[in-house]
Amino acid sequence: MYEDEAFKKSFDPKLARRILRYTYPYWKVILIALLALLVTTLTANVFPLILKFAIDRAIVPVEAAALAERYHYLLIASLLFIFVRLLDFVARYVETYSLAWLGQHVLFDLRSDIFRKVQRLHLAYFDHTPVGRLLTRITSDVDAINQFITGGLVGFLADFFMLVGIMGFMLYLNAHMALLTFVVMPVLLWATTRIRTGMRDAYRLMRIKLARVNASLQENLSGVETIQLFTREERQEKRFDEVNRELRDAWVLVIWWFSMFYPIVSFLGEATVAAMLWYGGGAVIRGAVTFGLLVAFLDYVRNFFKPLQDMSDKFNIFQAAMASAERIFKLLDTPEQITDKPDALPVKSFAGDIRFDHVWFAYKGPDEPVSDEEWVLRDVDFHVRPGEKVALVGATGAGKTSTVSLIARFYDVQKGRVLMDGHDVRDYRQRDLRRAIGIVLQDPFLFSGTIEFNLRLGDESIPMERVVEVCRFVGAHEFIEKLLQGYQTVLSERGGGLSTGQKQLIALARAVLHNPDILLILDEATASVDAETERQIQRAMERVMEGRTSIIIAHRLSTIQGVDRILVFRKGRIVEEGTHAELLAAGGYYARLYELQYAEAG
């Protein structure tokens, strides 16, 4: 499990500004929302004044008044109440809709930026970053940013405006009573500060535990087949219960701090109302203030504490948003180690000349020190001529797959060069380089969708006739036609429902369909299939490799006897080179591998 770093600040202006940059394109919507917010602030504070007017002028007038006049004042108060309520309804609708619209657009933009960033990151980043952690960034962390914009920041402004409005109206009604009410604010601010510190630490802990739960879920769901195969359900349930329990306890701690605030604010609020009732009631008895003013003032006092209570929610939102923003922007700021040079060479076609020039490689960052044990390739030097078919063989971990990854520039070398047609692969645009390379992996990845989509990968410029032609060429058309809906058959996640051999044929057809006529790299494509399917795939591979520079990572040595040359890897070095017959005659490491595999097959 990877622990997220605890966020050290409750509110970071730099992070807040970066979040707000996502709102700049929608400034007109923000302006409309703020205007609606001002209207709702005014309308909410007008209601107690209307109530005061009705009480003092119609219900308990100080002086005797005509009955008709009193009903007239009641009618005016009622109509004003309905008008202000309608105005408040319209303003609140505009405010709510505008903020929701803004939040969803910011969510869309932020998720798009994260997804684009993840697509551009080098593969080494995913070697040490759990998928569940990335899912947390693009789901719950992004949602916390949405809450910050729509509920936190704007909500805080709304509460602030409401608080200022209430204080202004209270001072307007009776400055002395208002100042007595404000005496409670220092006590409330002190309590809020103490509780907010505990809430901040609790939120840090909760976000860490949430990321751990997401990572555990992703790992267990991806490995459910292995878990069931080894009957590890009970053990995995216990492990998940541990991280789930830690998340539950962290949430309980958050709730404990959160629940402390409301009773304190509520008690102070009711105590202030009681004090104002005693003080104001006495003033009414003495005739210093009207009864309507007392009722209106008590309404303002009650409303005075509501925005203060709501601000506690905003502090929680700020805590979550700042922690999430730090993690999101840390991801967005991750350096892209594999990048194009400003003067990168555009290429339409490659001859297929490949040269490894004394290459040293380790799965480390460009500036990270490499120990002697961490080198995966050690001084690898070889040349593949255009159109040549070369096989890479060796024990697991010898460096074969790493060699292939360097040709496609999924990683960069620490020492030496990988040359394509005489130029370092780092001199080419990645898009052009990889477009020229067809890769069929041992475990090909198929997306959810139709077989046609998996073949085209969204490229509608490829005609259906070409799709069928290529599938016939590699031998996939026959089994596809037998499916219920043929090329429109919908595959489940990772191609569920197809055999390993069928997946391999679709992957092979996909590679050919996207015209890798410059270079084709096959990575142990027949390692996990039966002998009959292997022969079918082998025939397809022979047809596909014709006229192409081809590098084969061989799992079964019997399948590579017809290649032009074999490179034998051992502990990151090339220890032998030659044809199948030459290497057997030499009686070296390759011959021992072949004899061992032949004995196992026998």
Side-chain angles (χ1 to χ4, degrees):
M1 292 296 180
Y2 288 78
E3 295 286 357
D4 284 350
E5 296 178 1
F7 187 61
K8 300 296 188 294
K9 299 177 182 178
S10 60
F11 185 82
D12 190 327
K14 292 181 179 179
L15 286 175
R17 283 195 294 270
R18 288 194 69 174
I19 295 172
L20 292 178
R21 286 195 194 109
Y22 282 89
T23 67
Y24 292 170
Y26 313 110
W27 65 270
K28 293 181 180 178
V29 178
I30 296 173
L31 183 60
I32 293 172
L34 289 176
L35 290 174
L37 177 61
L38 289 174
V39 172
T40 56
T41 300
L42 289 173
T43 54
N45 286 296
V46 164
F47 289 127
L49 293 182
I50 297 175
L51 191 61
K52 175 183 178 299
F53 173 82
I55 293 174
D56 288 344
R57 291 297 186 92
I59 299 176
V60 284
V62 177
E63 300 176 357
L67 188 63
E69 185 179 359
R70 293 170 65 181
Y71 273 108
H72 175 72
Y73 286 138
L74 279 178
L75 179 61
I76 292 175
S78 300
L79 291 176
L80 280 174
F81 194 91
I82 293 173
F83 172 77
V84 173
R85 179 58 69 185
L86 286 174
L87 186 61
D88 181 74
F89 167 79
V90 173
R92 288 187 185 277
Y93 171 81
V94 172
E95 177 191 345
T96 304
Y97 182 83
S98 300
L99 291 179
W101 187 95
L102 173 66
Q104 290 305 312
H105 280 72
V106 170
L107 237 69
F108 176 85
D109 295 341
L110 191 55
R111 284 198 185 114
S112 297
D113 283 354
I114 295 173
F115 186 79
R116 277 193 295 268
K117 179 67 176 184
V118 170
Q119 294 292 301
R120 293 196 306 268
L121 284 173
H122 48 285
L123 291 185
Y125 179 82
F126 301 97
D127 294 338
H128 57 75
T129 304
V131 175
R133 193 181 191 190
L134 294 175
L135 288 175
T136 301
R137 299 294 161 272
I138 207 165
T139 53
S140 59
D141 280 339
V142 171
D143 187 61
I145 302 298
N146 175 47
Q147 290 296 319
F148 169 76
I149 294 173
T150 60
L153 189 61
V154 178
F156 186 85
L157 288 175
D159 292 333
F160 177 76
F161 289 159
M162 184 64 70
L163 190 61
V164 171
I166 291 172
M167 292 173 69
F169 279 97
M170 289 172 70
L171 290 169
Y172 166 75
L173 283 179
N174 191 297
H176 188 62
M177 293 172 66
L179 292 174
L180 288 176
T181 304
F182 301 158
V183 168
V184 77
M185 289 190 68
V187 179
L188 189 59
L189 290 174
W190 175 82
T192 301
T193 303
R194 293 291 300 272
I195 294 174
R196 189 173 59 188
T197 303
M199 289 165 59
R200 179 185 61 203
D201 295 337
Y203 254 102
R204 290 177 192 158
L205 180 63
M206 184 275 294
R207 302 303 295 184
I208 292 172
K209 301 305 181 183
L210 178 61
R212 293 188 63 186
V213 166
N214 285 338
S216 179
L217 275 173
Q218 188 277 330
E219 183 181 60
N220 281 280
L221 292 175
S222 299
V224 65
E225 184 177 359
T226 303
I227 292 171
Q228 293 181 359
L229 179 63
F230 289 92
T231 63
R232 306 290 290 179
E233 294 92 341
E234 187 174 347
R235 178 68 62 84
Q236 293 304 111
E237 286 173 9
K238 289 181 179 178
R239 290 186 61 187
F240 180 76
D241 281 346
E242 290 178 9
V243 294
N244 193 29
R245 190 178 299 109
E246 290 176 357
L247 176 61
R248 180 201 64 191
D249 294 342
W251 264 115
V252 169
L253 184 60
V254 171
I255 295 169
W256 187 85
W257 282 106
F258 180 74
S259 60
M260 283 283 290
F261 190 82
Y262 274 98
I264 291 174
V265 175
S266 178
F267 173 78
L268 290 174
E270 296 305 323
T272 305
V273 170
M276 284 299 103
L277 182 61
W278 180 83
Y279 180 84
V284 171
I285 293 173
R286 293 192 306 271
V289 297
T290 64
F291 181 68
L293 185 144
L294 175 61
V295 172
F297 201 88
L298 290 175
D299 200 0
Y300 279 126
V301 171
R302 285 186 175 276
N303 292 335
F304 175 75
F305 286 91
K306 189 175 186 305
L308 290 175
Q309 285 180 321
D310 291 341
M311 283 181 182
S312 66
D313 292 337
K314 309 308 181 288
F315 290 138
N316 293 339
I317 293 172
F318 287 161
Q319 303 296 341
M322 291 299 103
S324 295
E326 186 195 34
R327 293 172 175 87
I328 287 174
F329 292 128
K330 184 178 180 181
L331 171 61
L332 292 176
D333 293 339
T334 300
E336 297 171 21
Q337 294 181 6
I338 309 297
T339 57
D340 290 339
K341 294 180 178 179
D343 57 346
L345 300 173
V347 179
K348 291 186 177 180
S349 63
F350 285 101
D353 185 275
I354 304 169
R355 181 183 294 275
F356 271 56
D357 182 16
H358 299 284
V359 167
W360 289 73
F361 172 69
Y363 288 99
K364 304 283 282 187
D367 300 323
E368 297 180 73
V370 182
S371 63
D372 186 64
E373 309 84 49
E374 291 176 315
W375 289 113
V376 178
L377 297 180
R378 303 166 182 266
D379 196 29
V380 172
D381 191 271
F382 66 88
H383 180 213
V384 180
R385 291 175 290 275
E388 189 177 15
K389 293 185 282 292
V390 175
L392 310 183
V393 302
T396 301
K400 308 183 299 297
T401 303
S402 300
T403 302
V404 167
S405 297
L406 292 178
I407 297 173
R409 207 195 164 197
F410 292 137
Y411 304 88
D412 278 342
V413 301
Q414 277 79 14
K415 302 178 186 178
R417 296 182 301 166
V418 179
L419 303 173
M420 178 81 72
D421 287 0
H423 291 277
D424 194 314
V425 293
R426 290 171 289 195
D427 294 336
Y428 294 114
R429 293 193 307 196
Q430 296 177 69
R431 189 179 185 86
D432 293 341
L433 177 66
R434 292 171 185 162
R435 188 185 289 120
I437 300 173
I439 302 180
V440 181
L441 302 173
Q442 179 180 348
D443 183 20
F445 189 92
L446 299 181
F447 295 92
S448 301
T450 64
I451 291 179
E452 179 190 348
F453 170 79
N454 274 278
L455 290 166
R456 285 178 168 173
L457 288 181
D459 189 351
E460 298 298 330
S461 65
I462 303 174
M464 192 61 196
E465 294 77 11
R466 172 66 178 163
V467 174
V468 175
E469 178 187 356
V470 169
C471 288
R472 289 184 188 276
F473 181 68
V474 302
H477 178 74
E478 183 177 351
F479 88 81
I480 293 176
E481 281 293 286
K482 290 180 180 179
L483 297 174
L484 189 61
Q485 294 177 295
Y487 287 87
Q488 301 307 314
T489 300
V490 177
L491 303 179
S492 58
E493 187 177 2
R494 301 185 68 89
L498 296 181
S499 68
T500 302
Q502 289 172 335
K503 294 178 188 177
Q504 292 289 3
L505 288 173
I506 289 177
L508 189 60
R510 178 169 62 191
V512 176
L513 186 63
H514 290 268
N515 198 25
D517 53 351
I518 303 147
L519 179 66
L520 178 65
I521 300 174
L522 304 173
D523 185 1
E524 297 187 359
T526 62
S528 303
V529 298
D530 58 82
E532 182 179 351
T533 305
E534 179 186 351
R535 285 193 293 271
Q536 182 182 4
I537 296 176
Q538 201 66 37
R539 289 193 297 269
M541 288 166 52
E542 291 172 0
R543 289 195 294 267
V544 169
M545 289 188 294
E546 191 65 34
R548 291 186 173 93
T549 302
S550 304
I551 295 181
I552 309 166
I553 294 181
H555 181 76
R556 298 173 182 171
L557 302 184
S558 59
T559 64
I560 57 168
Q561 298 180 16
V563 300
D564 300 316
R565 194 153 42 100
I566 299 172
L567 304 179
V568 184
F569 281 74
R570 186 179 187 186
K571 296 181 179 179
R573 299 182 184 273
I574 297 177
V575 294
E576 290 181 303
E577 180 178 349
T579 64
H580 174 71
E582 291 170 346
L583 292 173
L584 283 182
Y589 182 62
Y590 177 83
R592 292 199 302 272
L593 287 176
Y594 186 79
E595 289 171 3
L596 178 62
Q597 196 170 99
Y598 183 79
E600 289 175 351

